[in-house]
Amino acid sequence: MSSMDVPLTLLDPEGGWINAPVHVHDLHGRPTLLYFWSELSKTNQEQLPLVKALLDEFIPKGLQVIGVHVPMEGEDLGHALDTNDIEAIVKRMGWRHPVAVDDGSMEQAYGVEEVPTFLVYDAFGILRLRVAGQAATNPELRRLLERLTGPEATTGAFAP
C-alpha cells in the first residue's frame, strides 16, 4: 500500500482520547487533518507556533483536526499514555480539537515514521497530502488547506 492509499479510518487507541473521541462517521463531508506529534520531539516543539497558527486559521473554516500524540522511540510507554500529562500539554497549547493518546498502533497503521507528520484528507476521505518532519509546515500544506476549506471545496471543482 502506498503512502497515498491510507484510508481515513481511525482506530481506538489504547491510551484514549482528550477533548472527546472521534469516529469515522463524524468526519463525513469535512476535510480532515490528522496531526501526529509528541511533546518530546524537538522538531515538533520548534513548529508549534506555526501549527497553532494553521489550526487557528483553518478550524473556523470547517477543517476537522485530530491530533495524535505518539510515543517517541525509547520513551516509557506509561509516560506516553499518561492522559493527564498529555491533557495538560493540550490545554497549555489551547487546543480544543480531539487528541488521541496513541500506544503506537495508530502511528503504525498510518505509516508514521517521524513527528510531526500531517495527513490531509479531503471531504471524501481521500488522502491528498502527507508531509513530515522539518517539511511538515511547508507552503504546500497551507495551499491545500486553503483549497479544501475554500469556496471551490463545495462546488465540486476540487480535482483529485
Side-chain angles (χ1 to χ4, degrees):
M1 180 179 335
S2 81
S3 65
M4 294 304 282
D5 292 333
V6 180
L8 182 56
T9 53
L10 299 180
L11 306 174
D12 187 15
E14 287 293 319
W17 290 89
I18 296 167
N19 294 339
V22 176
H23 303 284
V24 175
H25 67 273
D26 296 333
L27 306 175
H28 182 69
R30 294 180 65 188
T32 302
L33 170 68
L34 278 182
Y35 170 46
F36 289 82
W37 64 283
S38 172
E39 90 270 18
L40 299 180
S41 165
K42 184 176 188 239
T43 301
N44 205 116
Q45 291 171 3
E46 292 169 353
Q47 292 184 349
L48 278 177
L50 297 171
V51 171
K52 183 161 178 22
L54 278 175
L55 300 183
D56 289 348
E57 179 178 349
F58 291 104
I59 288 175
K61 294 178 180 179
L63 180 68
Q64 170 71 48
V65 176
I66 301 162
V68 182
H69 182 271
V70 297
M72 295 294 289
E73 187 173 327
E75 181 181 6
D76 173 60
L77 196 56
H79 174 264
L81 295 177
D82 184 345
T83 54
N84 291 328
D85 184 40
I86 306 306
E87 184 172 17
I89 294 165
V90 167
K91 283 184 180 184
R92 187 175 67 239
M93 291 188 287
W95 289 355
R96 291 184 175 86
H97 59 271
V99 175
V101 180
D102 186 26
D103 63 344
S105 60
M106 289 180 72
E107 179 182 30
Q108 183 178 1
Y110 286 97
V112 172
E113 296 179 359
E114 61 183 309
V115 291
T117 291
F118 292 91
L119 301 177
V120 181
Y121 292 85
D122 66 16
F124 303 102
I126 298 169
L127 182 63
R128 296 297 181 171
L129 181 68
R130 172 191 291 265
V131 289
Q134 293 288 353
T137 53
N138 71 28
E140 185 179 2
L141 174 62
R142 171 174 287 287
R143 283 191 299 274
L144 179 61
L145 293 178
E146 287 171 351
R147 287 184 68 197
L148 291 175
T149 60
E152 65 186 26
T154 58
T155 65
F158 190 90

